[in-house]
Amino acid sequence: MDTNLSEQVAQVVRDTIKDELREQTRKQRRSARLYGGAGAAGLYGGAAATAFLVLVLALVLPGWAAALVVAVLLFGAAEMMRQAARPGRPVPPPGALGSEPPLGAPAAPPVPPAPPVPPDGPETPRRTQ
């Protein structure tokens, strides 16, 4: 009897865990579909914004020049995001593009520390009048 009871308890526990995992998986699948849909909508929105920018610039520039300007802007934004995503490298401040040495270039020598200053300041001769 004890063997039968322990097998029944084990089966109930397995079924309960399986049901819980199935429910969690169902919720995660729904979230994944929503994230995928949000990504697709964002991609289409970005394409529409890009087309809008090209068309607006085409009012004052030839069409090919407007497309070239927008492409350069998008490549610049992609490069800035790539640089920001590199692990262990600080994000460059705005306006500092191109301030990094090219890959493979020797690094600048470190700046030597300032000489120590006594706590009461440098000694200067006192004037008496």
Side-chain angles (χ1 to χ4, degrees):
M1 270 200 182
D2 288 332
T3 308
N4 190 21
L5 180 63
S6 64
E7 288 176 12
Q8 289 176 350
V9 169
Q11 185 63 37
V12 169
V13 169
R14 275 191 231 111
D15 291 343
T16 304
I17 290 174
K18 190 184 295 184
D19 289 341
E20 288 178 19
L21 288 175
R22 188 175 293 134
E23 183 63 29
Q24 287 178 355
T25 305
R26 187 176 301 126
K27 289 178 183 177
Q28 289 174 347
R29 272 187 276 162
R30 181 177 184 274
S31 294
R33 279 188 296 235
L34 290 174
Y35 276 121
L43 183 66
Y44 286 121
T50 301
F52 170 76
L53 187 58
V54 169
L55 291 173
V56 167
L57 285 175
L59 294 175
V60 293
L61 296 172
W64 65 268
L68 182 64
V69 167
V70 171
V72 168
L73 289 174
L74 289 173
F75 282 134
E79 177 62 21
M80 288 173 50
M81 286 187 268
R82 185 184 72 85
Q83 291 291 330
R86 289 178 121 176
R89 299 191 93 187
V91 177
L97 294 177
S99 62
E100 295 183 6
L103 290 176
V111 178
V117 178
D120 55 341
E123 294 188 23
T124 56
R126 296 186 182 185
R127 295 171 126 191
T128 55
Q129 295 181 0

